[in-house]
Amino acid sequence: MSKQILHIGIDDTDSPKGMCTTFLAYKIINRLKKENVDFLDFPNLIRFNPNIPWKTRGNGAVGLKIATTKPNKIKNLVKKFVIQYSDVKNGANPGLVFCQDDNIPEEFFKLSSDAMWKLIHRNEAKKILSKHNFDYFYLGNGQGLVGATSVIGYTFEDQTFELLSYRKTSQFGKKRFLDKSKVKQMQEKTYPKTFNSFDSKKNKVLLMPHGPDPVFYGVRGEDSTTLISASKMIQPKEKLAGYLIFKSNQGTGDHLKNEIDVETFLPYTSGILHGIVNSKPIITNGGHVFFSIITKNIKIHCAVYKPTQMTDIAKELIIGDKIKVGGGIRKATKTLPRILNLEFIQILKLEKKLRLVNPFCKKCKKHMKSKGKNQGFQCVRCKSTSAHKIQKYFPRSIKKQIYIPSVSAHRHLTKPVQRMREKTKSEKFNPTSSWISNF
Ligand SMILES: [Zn+2]
């Protein structure tokens, strides 16, 4: 009997209180290994628009591509896992989608690219699934169907990998311990082939979560071979259950590619804008910076929050600076209008910073002093005078470059600076490599 292609999309099985869709994928793959299926790609971990109101931790969906002679048996197995491992009572709205065809319908691609930057209602996904008569399943309100459909329709233009290690069930919820110096060393040895493992400025481990979920640590990088050797350098004392390597759009800046529609400026939309600064930045008591830009004759409010550490850049902007910014639109509150929360600032052209200053005495190399209102200026030393202030250029402390948040404030999709140079080549999946391991 010939094998049939089966795409499996899973989303929103986790809640802030526990579980994790990637761990579910790890469980499912281990089970499918007993069913003589062919794995055709790394499991995909795709992060969609992070600026939606109901996202769980990272708005990440998981996709699997396999070939099997028993698609119906596999579908039932996967469904049982989704039912068993979804945290519905704590707010998960899981979705499970099967596309039993090598050709993925056009609508899946469209939904996927839209889900990257806007808010999509579950009914849009349901409509597509019903039209194609695909098997799907959901619990709760079924919002997870959007991610489960979109992950199947996702097309990689750039990719990274993440090795996620999982704890034994008995350890769930317990405090994690890692040797900080080992993580630091690992990053030093493997950079730039791994990224965001350690914040050397803050001397802080970044690759380890702190919540109740089954993940012990996750190493992100450019290829699976590097991740496997990097993972060996971490050497936690805790005995772990195993690991799984995902191909991902993390670190690709995927949600910040489209130009935001400033006419509608819809809340929960992500994207980029080109504009000219038209208000002097205001610094709040909390250290956040607010300013506005003009784009297509429309005024857009921008916010830069302190934890991003881009506030030192934002406060140096002056009226007339030409910039490109990216981020997510926050809905209006009673006191504030809709605001674009910035996730990067790229300076395209710096305006000259001109200020009027007291005239300069060339002989004494000193600025003159004012003699009183409308009475001109005089040099304190040689007493020479001048009637008017002069214009002086001040150097700008910011440069024509891109500024991104500090590494501790990176989101899953934030593109690290070293990844902006060039795209890495896509790594071919080798099913006999150590892409999954059980210790
Ligand atoms: Zn003088």
Side-chain angles (χ1 to χ4, degrees):
M1 205 172 148
S2 73
K3 286 194 172 172
Q4 295 192 32
I5 302 281
L6 184 62
H7 297 269
I8 305 167
I10 310 166
D11 187 31
D12 204 353
T13 64
D14 49 0
S15 78
K17 287 194 173 165
M19 290 321 292
C20 170
T21 305
T22 72
F23 179 65
L24 175 57
Y26 170 71
K27 293 295 237 187
I28 290 172
I29 290 168
N30 272 317
R31 179 66 185 81
L32 294 188
K33 278 169 134 186
K34 295 171 189 156
E35 295 296 331
N36 188 33
V37 307
D38 297 335
F39 294 96
L40 302 177
D41 193 5
F42 289 97
N44 292 348
L45 168 59
I46 306 301
R47 305 284 180 178
F48 292 99
N49 183 10
N51 298 306
I52 59 170
W54 55 64
K55 60 158 182 176
T56 46
R57 282 189 299 274
N59 197 17
V62 168
L64 306 175
K65 186 181 178 185
I66 59 166
T68 174
T69 52
K70 314 167 273 192
N72 288 330
K73 185 180 180 195
I74 301 298
K75 285 180 196 173
N76 282 325
L77 261 173
V78 174
K79 190 175 152 185
K80 273 183 197 153
F81 271 94
V82 171
I83 292 167
Q84 189 188 340
Y85 285 94
S86 291
D87 200 3
V88 179
K89 65 176 189 300
N90 284 314
N93 292 296
L96 170 63
V97 172
F98 299 103
C99 171
Q100 193 179 327
D101 193 340
D102 200 15
N103 298 309
I104 298 163
E106 206 52 48
E107 292 105 319
F108 276 49
F109 298 119
K110 174 77 168 71
L111 191 79
S112 185
S113 68
D114 284 351
M116 204 49 76
W117 59 273
K118 67 181 192 187
L119 193 65
I120 293 178
H121 196 271
R122 48 192 174 269
N123 288 346
E124 284 189 51
K126 284 181 189 168
K127 216 160 60 184
I128 295 170
L129 296 166
S130 307
K131 182 184 159 192
H132 290 278
N133 208 16
F134 286 139
D135 288 323
Y136 66 93
F137 168 78
Y138 67 91
L139 291 168
N141 68 17
Q143 186 59 37
L145 288 174
V146 174
T149 309
S150 299
V151 72
I152 294 175
Y154 184 78
T155 317
F156 284 95
E157 280 174 31
D158 179 15
Q159 72 287 309
T160 63
F161 292 84
E162 181 164 17
L163 180 153
L164 283 162
S165 70
Y166 299 105
R167 316 180 83 174
K168 289 180 180 290
T169 320
S170 56
Q171 296 300 112
F172 289 5
K174 291 184 185 161
K175 196 168 156 52
R176 299 168 180 83
F177 293 97
L178 263 187
D179 184 344
K180 200 185 262 189
S181 65
K182 290 207 168 79
V183 180
K184 190 172 177 230
Q185 265 176 29
M186 180 278 279
Q187 174 154 290
E188 284 162 1
K189 277 187 185 152
T190 57
Y191 180 90
K193 290 224 165 166
T194 65
F195 58 89
N196 293 15
S197 302
F198 192 79
D199 184 343
S200 38
K201 274 191 196 139
K202 287 190 172 171
N203 193 32
K204 189 178 151 195
V205 171
L206 300 175
L207 54 64
M208 187 173 72
H210 299 281
D213 58 296
V215 173
F216 191 84
Y217 62 77
V219 193
R220 295 175 180 193
E222 305 294 337
D223 63 87
S224 64
T225 318
T226 304
L227 294 186
I228 292 166
S229 56
S231 178
K232 283 177 186 152
M233 298 177 206
I234 296 171
Q235 300 169 340
K237 291 225 164 61
E238 181 175 325
K239 279 218 155 67
L240 302 175
Y243 72 73
L244 178 58
I245 297 178
F246 292 85
K247 182 161 115 180
S248 179
N249 67 339
Q250 293 173 151
T252 66
D254 235 353
H255 65 308
L256 301 178
K257 284 177 177 159
N258 58 299
E259 191 88 21
I260 287 171
D261 180 356
V262 285
E263 303 277 340
T264 54
F265 203 58
L266 287 176
Y268 313 121
T269 303
S270 303
I272 54 168
L273 276 180
H274 294 76
I276 306 227
V277 177
N278 88 321
S279 77
K280 194 172 180 284
I282 296 165
I283 308 163
T284 67
N285 290 335
H288 312 306
V289 175
F290 292 87
F291 63 94
S292 61
I293 60 173
I294 290 282
T295 174
K296 292 173 186 154
N297 290 320
I298 294 172
K299 183 176 171 177
I300 301 291
H301 299 276
C302 298
V304 178
Y305 295 104
K306 195 166 184 222
T308 64
Q309 289 184 32
M310 295 193 299
T311 46
D312 285 342
I313 305 305
K315 70 180 172 53
E316 292 299 322
L317 291 167
I318 61 171
I319 294 170
D321 282 342
K322 205 175 157 194
I323 60 176
K324 177 182 170 185
V325 291
I329 302 167
R330 195 183 72 182
K331 75 170 175 135
T333 62
K334 271 182 193 162
T335 50
L336 291 168
R338 288 180 189 172
I339 291 178
L340 185 68
N341 289 344
L342 301 195
E343 295 173 36
F344 77 81
I345 303 170
Q346 185 173 3
I347 296 173
L348 303 174
K349 193 165 177 253
L350 286 169
E351 183 66 284
K352 289 197 170 82
K353 193 173 179 180
L354 260 181
R355 293 284 182 273
L356 286 173
V357 295
N358 287 2
F360 195 70
C361 175
K362 281 175 186 149
K363 206 171 105 194
C364 308
K365 309 247 182 310
K366 275 177 89 93
H367 280 284
M368 297 180 180
K369 287 259 157 68
S370 169
K371 291 203 291 178
K373 207 181 175 196
N374 297 326
Q375 291 181 53
F377 302 86
Q378 188 172 48
C379 173
V380 190
R381 196 181 290 175
C382 74
K383 308 293 174 198
S384 64
T385 59
S386 177
H388 306 287
K389 284 198 173 192
I390 52 161
Q391 288 194 322
K392 190 185 167 187
Y393 289 111
F394 283 81
R396 301 293 305 271
S397 60
I398 49 178
K399 295 190 189 103
K400 211 171 112 180
Q401 66 164 77
I402 190 163
Y403 292 96
I404 65 167
S406 75
V407 64
S408 290
H410 278 197
R411 314 178 83 170
H412 293 297
L413 284 167
T414 306
K415 193 174 201 170
V417 170
Q418 74 277 8
R419 294 207 77 255
M420 288 177 184
R421 290 176 213 136
E422 55 187 299
K423 282 177 192 166
T424 46
K425 270 197 207 140
S426 181
E427 177 183 344
K428 205 173 175 304
F429 177 66
N430 172 7
T432 60
S433 70
S434 306
W435 58 286
I436 184 165
S437 182
N438 299 293
F439 301 138

